Every structure is written in structure tokens, then in C-alpha cells.
Amino acid sequence: MGKDTITITDNRTGRQTELPVRESTLGPDAVDIGLFLKEAGYFMYDPGFLSTASCQSALTYLDGAEGQLFYRGYPIEQLAEQSNFTEVAHLMLYGDLPTATQLTKFNNIITHHSMINEALKGFFHGFYHDAHPMAIMVGVVGSLSAFYHDSTDISDPRHREIAAHRMIAKMPSIAAASYKHSIGEPQVYPDNSLSYTGNLLNMMFSVPCEKYYVDPIAEKALDLIFILHVDHEQNASTSTVRLAGSSGANPFACMASGIAALWGPAHGGANEAVLSMLDEIGDVSNIDKYLAKAKDKNDPFRLMGFGHRVYKNYDPRARIIREMCHQVLAKLGKDDDPMFELALRLEEIALADEYFIQRKLYPNVDFYSGLIYRALGIPANMFTVMFAIARTVGWVAQWMEMISDEEQRIGRPRQLYVGPTQRDYVPIDQR
Ligand code: CMC
């Protein structure tokens, strides 16, 4: 028996199957089960991928028990403290922190790809004014493939790179245009003199008739939130992007599929859901009632912004963002916002509750991000869009990594079939 193998014994037949073990650089090694069906005659059953590594990746590492998150080996705390969003984007795409010259060049490229095709602007008008901005995002981002034929040959590394730049650069412009459409204001063109988040704020909040000044507190807060949301290993939306991309679909279509998956309230939609929940709770005096609902298995209510598939310890991003939430609200003079007080009280009570302690349910990053967005004047239906802008970096980095992985094949899970066994067709007049 090889040292780097494990042996599985089939207790039904006594047959033994030896499987190779692939070594990780951090975290659990992985048993390679690619030949298990052929050798042992079984599928592996793992709904929700609780124990399944769907790919190899050198991008993000997270340890749920320790509450650690690294991008390309760098702890999230260090990046949040010392880096900025576009530097992190460079790190994710190219593997290393950029030199000053490389960063200037990268910023310049991203800045100069931020305009969207004038014809694309017409798409927004096809949506009814009360369309959810995420619905507009799914449609418009998917339609980019119709505009940029020159960057959809996925076998060409340069095409892939240009597509990556375009997506990172255009996402804020599309997001802001979605918002402007929903409030009936004219779209604002990007301003190349502004930072990535400054430009987004300008496109969202400026109007042609008056001068808009980007608030440096808002610009910095958004930059930090974006760093925290860049990537998170093989989460639902990233896995969706990879699965779509594995068939050779063009990158813009893959991003649209990621946006669709992110929208769900169990994933990126949670930040919007947290605010709706706080609205519904309404007052500190109702917290006990809602905690009881969250614990009741017959009640679908869940405490939004609590719990995580992987973190069974405090989400390190939540720790950073919680601190920032206090600072931003104080700096903006919004720390007496009753919703913030309600959120903090809810957090305190839930963290001391046996149900939440036993299940290791801690506040996650989305519990606080919505509160900050609200303080910055960003409407609730744009919260998940904000998440999508930041996560685009992770999606494109994961997509690029996947395409250049020599082991990459079309994603094609199997199933445990539990339907009827073979039966014969009965003509309709005999049923
Ligand atoms: N409120 C009440 N109970 C909960 C919650 C919650 N938010 N989350 C989990 N539980 C309970 C769950 O009912 C189960 O209890 P039991 O063992 O008695 O059956 C136990 O905790 C384990 O939960 P699970 O559903 O098996 O965990 P999961 O890994 O499948 O789900 C989750 C993870 C994030 C979908 C879930 O915790 C949840 O729905 N949270 C609220 C939504 C949310 O905040 N999502 C954002 C996640 S962070 C950002 C991102 O990654 O997009």
C-alpha cells in the first residue's frame, strides 16, 4: 500500500480500493476519487459538497475552525489594513502583489476600460423602472458577450486577460447605470480621475446639474468592504462560474451565471435580507420573539447574517467589518441610527444564546456590510450588487485559473438515482 494513498474497504463485499491522496499546501489533503466508480463501482454522495473539493486552486484559503482567510497566502487582516481593492485585484489575477509600476499600469488599464458601449446603454431602458438592479445586472452583464467578440476566444490567454480587465472595469459602470435607471436619473459616465470606489460613488450619486464631491470616508469604507468580498474559495456563485466556464462558455456569460447564483438570500442576497429582517423586527423588545422563530424548525425564519457553511468560528471578515462599521457610523454621525443599535443588541443576545452557541452560528460579513451601505446612503436593493462588483475579481481570477488548469474538464456531477426502475409505456387510453 502506498504511503500517499488511503484504502477503502467495502464491508458488503470485502473488496478493497486504494485511492491516491493529493497534498494541499494548507488545510486537509484530498483523496482523489476520480477512478472510484471504475474501481469500486460506487458514486460518492455529497449533496452541498460538504466534503468534496471540486477543483484545485491556489487563490484563496479559508480555515473555518480557526476563522482564517488568506488571498494568495496573505491574511485578510493585513490586506484590509494595508492594501487597496485594485492592488488586491492584481494579486488575485497575477499571483503576486504588484510593484508600484505594475500597479500604476494595472490601474490605468482598469480605468480605461470602464466605459460601456453606447449601444449597451439602451438595454437599461428595456427594463421596467422598478426592476431589481440584480435582475438588470444578470441581463446586461450576460449581454456583454454580444459586444466584445474580440475577447471571447477562451483558448487565447490574451483574450482571457482582456475579458478579465473589461469585467472588473465595467462592473461599477453597469451597477451604477442599473441604479440610475431604477431612480429615473441619467446615467453618469466614469471619471478617470477618480479611484475605483470613488468613481462608483460618483456614477451612483452625482447628477449632471450639480457638483458631487466623493466623501473620502465613504470611498475608503467601500474599498475595504470590496477587499473583504473579493473571493471566498469555492462558494456557490464561484462554483457556478466555474461550472458554466467548464463547458467553454464565454466569460461574460459565466459572470452572469455567477451574479444569478449570488442573488440568493442564503448567499450574497443576505446583506439585503439582513436589513429587511431588522426592519421586520423593528424594536429591541421584539428580539426574543424573533430569536424563538429562528430556533423553531417549523418556522422558515432564519436569522439573516448569521451562520456560514465553512466558518464555525467568527468570520474574520465580520470582525474587520464590525470594527469599521462602528468607525464609519461614528465618522458620518450616524451611530445613533436605531437600526444599528437594534443590530448590535441582536448580535449580543444571539451570541449568548445556547442555540447559536451550540451550532457555532456567528454573525457573518453580511450582517454588518448592509449597515455600512445604509450609512453611506446606498439603497438596500443595491447591496447585493455591491457584493457582485467586488466578487467579480474572484470570479474572473477563478475562471482564468480554471481555464489554464491542465486537469480541467467539463464539470459533470453524477447522482444517486432514486426514481422508478424501468417500466413500460402505457398508451393513454389504458391508464
Ligand atoms: N438562523 C437560525 N438557525 C440557523 C441559521 C440561521 N441563520 N443558520 C444555520 N442555522 C441552523 C440550522 O437550522 C441547523 O440547525 P440544526 O442542526 O438544528 O438542523 C444548523 O444551524 C446548521 O445549519 P445548516 O443549514 O446545516 O448550515 P449550512 O452550512 O447548510 O448553511 C447558511 C449555511 C449560511 C446558508 C445558513 O447559516 C444561513 O442560511 N444563514 C443565513 C443567511 C446568511 O446570512 N447567508 C450569508 C452567508 S455569508 C456570505 C456569503 O457567503 O455569501
Side-chain angles (χ1 to χ4, degrees), residues 86-158:
T86 52
E87 187 180 57
V88 172
H90 184 287
L91 170 70
M92 296 306 276
L93 292 190
Y94 299 104
D96 282 308
L97 287 171
T99 61
T101 315
Q102 286 169 331
L103 183 59
T104 306
K105 188 175 164 210
F106 183 67
N107 282 337
N108 199 39
I109 291 170
I110 297 301
T111 304
H112 287 88
H113 273 110
S114 56
M115 282 210 297
I116 51 178
N117 190 298
E118 282 297 298
L120 190 70
K121 284 171 68 178
F123 276 52
F124 294 90
H125 301 297
F127 287 93
Y128 201 53
H129 68 87
D130 63 355
H132 195 290
M134 282 297 277
I136 303 180
M137 294 294 287
V138 175
V140 174
V141 172
S143 78
L144 290 178
S145 43
F147 288 84
Y148 300 108
H149 305 287
D150 60 338
S151 60
T152 51
D153 176 3
I154 61 161
S155 62
D156 182 335
R158 181 65 187 135

Side-chain angles (χ1 to χ4, degrees), residues 99-294:
T99 61
T101 315
Q102 286 169 331
L103 183 59
T104 306
K105 188 175 164 210
F106 183 67
N107 282 337
N108 199 39
I109 291 170
I110 297 301
T111 304
H112 287 88
H113 273 110
S114 56
M115 282 210 297
I116 51 178
N117 190 298
E118 282 297 298
L120 190 70
K121 284 171 68 178
F123 276 52
F124 294 90
H125 301 297
F127 287 93
Y128 201 53
H129 68 87
D130 63 355
H132 195 290
M134 282 297 277
I136 303 180
M137 294 294 287
V138 175
V140 174
V141 172
S143 78
L144 290 178
S145 43
F147 288 84
Y148 300 108
H149 305 287
D150 60 338
S151 60
T152 51
D153 176 3
I154 61 161
S155 62
D156 182 335
R158 181 65 187 135
H159 276 218
R160 300 202 291 268
E161 188 181 29
I162 297 172
H165 293 159
R166 281 185 170 143
M167 281 179 291
I168 294 169
K170 292 182 199 306
M171 209 58 139
S173 312
I174 297 172
S178 306
Y179 174 56
K180 286 296 196 189
H181 177 71
S182 71
I183 57 170
E185 286 185 4
Q187 290 179 21
V188 176
Y189 285 107
D191 177 341
N192 287 357
S193 68
L194 296 173
S195 69
Y196 191 86
T197 50
N199 190 34
L200 171 62
L201 287 166
N202 185 56
M203 288 189 289
M204 282 181 72
F205 296 122
S206 70
V207 285
C209 43
E210 38 186 77
K211 185 93 188 114
Y212 174 80
Y213 293 97
V214 175
D215 181 341
I217 298 172
E219 186 182 13
K220 176 83 190 91
L222 215 48
D223 193 85
L224 177 56
I225 298 181
F226 279 10
I227 292 175
L228 301 181
H229 283 91
V230 158
D231 196 40
H232 213 224
E233 209 220 40
Q234 304 310 318
N235 57 83
S237 58
T238 302
S239 298
T240 304
V241 169
R242 277 189 178 255
L243 194 56
S246 76
S247 72
N250 77 71
F252 303 104
C254 296
M255 293 309 122
S257 73
I259 296 171
L262 185 74
W263 196 358
H267 191 8
N271 52 17
E272 183 179 346
V274 169
L275 272 247
S276 314
M277 176 192 74
L278 292 174
D279 255 340
E280 192 185 327
I281 298 176
D283 188 78
V284 174
S285 61
N286 294 326
I287 290 180
D288 285 348
K289 182 176 123 199
Y290 280 91
L291 278 187
K293 273 165 76 63

Side-chain angles (χ1 to χ4, degrees), residues 266-267 297 302-306 309 355 359 361 364 366:
H267 191 8
K297 291 283 161 246
R302 278 194 160 194
L303 218 50
M304 300 314 288
F306 275 76
R309 166 58 61 79
Y355 173 96
R359 289 167 182 74
L361 298 171
N364 57 50
D366 287 327

